[in-house]
Amino acid sequence: MRDRHQRATALVFAVHGAVAGTLATRMPWFQDHFGLGTAALGLVLLCPPIGSFLAMPMTARLAYRFGARVTTRTLLALWCAALALPVLAPGPLWLAPAFLLYGAAAGMCDLAMNAQGVLVERRLGRSVMSGLHGMWSVGNLCGAGIGAAAAQAGLDARAHLTLMAAALIAVGAVGSRALLDDDAPAPDEKPPSRFTVPPRAVLLIGLIGFFATFAERASGQWAAIYLKDVTGAGAGVAAAGFTVFTACMVTVRLAGDFVVRRLGPVATVRAGAVTAVLGGVVVVAFRTPAPVIAGFALFGAGVAVVVPLVFAAAGQAARTPAEGVAGVATITWMSGLVAPSVIGWLAGTFAFPFAFALVTCMVAAMIRPARALSPRAAATRDPVAAACAD
């Protein structure tokens, strides 16, 4: 039976995902309501990752000052409330600051809840992070489903997002009461800096996270277009390719902890990387929809558990879970920020198969340094030295 702290943390992940899924379904409303062209909307949508990237390094100091439990619950409420900010903007010029604040709340809450996941793993003595990330995807799909129904019913986005923000704040407040607090700092312990940069202890872990996040974002953003342009698939088949990729990621994440408990994080990541490389080779080699969709399915299944395990290892490697997660998240969010544009540039300059061949090579590059994710390496608080020593 699940521990009540694990259930509370899983609910936080699901609520976080529901906020993101809710907003994503109303992007057409933003474009129509504010009269934005595609290029203008693209610029606006750069604001959330920028806000996240700037705000995330401050999370460790907040957790140190107020405790992990209070910090996570407060940031979750702010993240839910931020859902209503963009739709209440009085004009298009207000969208940029609204989305910057939305992204800042998203990133800080993301770090706090992943640090909670590390605390739960420590308490239970087993892997739970993959399932927690799977719950984020479940929440994301639920938020998107409700949003799609609201849009189909013609419900104004201002009413929809305001009601969803209030409902999710209430669900988060009630469901997160059993979150854990980290250990009280020693009297002579130095507090983390107000703006945490990645410590050396998580750099190698962060590199694995960079590769995995790059592969996730590249595939998520470009799978449908790859199928349309390279294989000549119609719109429905191309969309199905993205759906299959996402479904495989969600399924494997929900089942990932079972695998990690039996194989360990290192073997799990290496097996996943080999699976993803096989999928990448199929994607690059074939020019018809069916095998390429199968390749994306293997790719999604292979990389699904890597990022959760990266956060878990980083939380164990640093002085506090919040510092480790903050350090590695700075690296992974940077990867997520640049991946779609880099793949677009490579595809335009060379070709889509060349771009995804590069992504496949990045996934293959995770195999050797995966030893940094072992509990022994994390316990040394210097996975770089531990990985080199093996």
Side-chain angles (χ1 to χ4, degrees):
M1 182 178 293
R2 281 188 174 186
D3 177 88
R4 66 190 183 95
H5 305 296
Q6 182 184 356
R7 290 196 299 270
T9 307
L11 182 135
V12 171
F13 272 79
V15 169
H16 192 287
V19 173
T22 298
L23 187 69
T25 61
R26 304 316 299 255
M27 283 299 115
W29 182 91
F30 282 99
Q31 196 165 19
D32 294 340
H33 182 76
F34 292 104
L36 302 175
T38 303
L41 183 61
L43 288 175
V44 167
L45 293 180
L46 277 176
C47 294
I50 291 172
S52 296
F53 184 77
L54 293 175
M56 284 190 303
M58 296 184 287
T59 311
R61 183 61 176 252
L62 291 175
Y64 178 89
R65 173 68 177 82
F66 300 105
R69 181 175 178 270
V70 170
T71 299
T72 304
R73 298 191 75 199
T74 303
L75 290 174
L76 181 65
L78 290 175
W79 165 231
C80 294
L83 179 60
L85 277 179
V87 288
L88 298 180
L93 292 179
W94 291 91
L95 284 176
F99 272 106
L100 281 170
L101 291 173
Y102 171 87
M108 295 177 77
C109 184
D110 183 89
L111 292 195
M113 70 187 190
N114 275 286
Q116 276 290 322
V118 175
L119 292 174
V120 172
E121 288 197 335
R122 286 181 178 178
R123 175 184 173 85
L124 298 179
R126 55 186 172 85
S127 173
V128 300
M129 192 68 84
S130 180
L132 293 176
H133 281 250
M135 288 303 298
W136 186 95
S137 299
V138 170
N140 187 258
L141 290 172
C142 290
I146 294 172
Q152 182 66 27
L155 181 63
D156 186 87
R158 288 166 291 195
H160 168 216
L161 268 63
T162 302
L163 289 171
M164 282 295 294
L168 291 171
I169 287 172
V171 171
V174 173
S176 64
R177 288 177 296 183
L179 291 178
L180 287 166
D181 249 333
D182 44 10
D183 297 332
D188 58 344
E189 182 177 320
K190 183 181 178 182
S193 63
R194 288 182 173 83
F195 196 85
T196 304
V197 296
R200 182 176 185 269
V202 302
L203 285 179
L204 188 58
I205 297 171
L207 179 65
I208 300 169
F210 183 95
F211 289 156
T213 303
F214 193 100
E216 279 187 33
R217 289 297 306 276
S219 300
Q221 292 286 327
W222 291 104
I225 299 175
Y226 186 101
L227 280 158
K228 178 176 71 71
D229 290 355
V230 176
T231 72
V237 174
F242 168 76
T243 302
V244 169
F245 169 81
T246 304
C248 285
M249 285 201 67
V250 173
T251 302
V252 172
R253 278 185 172 168
L254 289 173
D257 293 318
F258 177 84
V259 178
V260 174
R261 290 167 199 159
R262 280 149 183 79
L263 300 182
V266 176
T268 300
V269 168
R270 285 176 171 168
V274 170
T275 301
V277 168
L278 176 61
V281 170
V282 172
V283 167
V284 172
F286 287 86
R287 298 292 181 270
T288 53
V292 172
I293 290 174
F296 276 119
L298 289 172
F299 205 85
V303 301
V305 299
V306 180
V307 171
L309 292 178
V310 161
F311 279 119
Q316 299 289 351
R319 185 179 57 165
T320 67
E323 284 183 90
V325 171
V328 82
T330 303
I331 299 171
T332 58
W333 275 75
M334 184 189 305
S335 176
L337 182 62
V338 303
S341 57
V342 169
I343 293 301
W345 177 80
L346 288 172
T349 305
F350 302 100
F352 261 127
F354 176 85
F356 274 87
L358 176 63
V359 175
T360 303
C361 291
M362 293 177 73
V363 172
M366 297 190 305
I367 295 174
R368 180 173 176 80
R371 66 186 69 183
L373 303 181
S374 70
R376 179 171 62 85
T380 68
R381 296 197 175 184
D382 192 352
V384 177
C388 292
D390 282 347

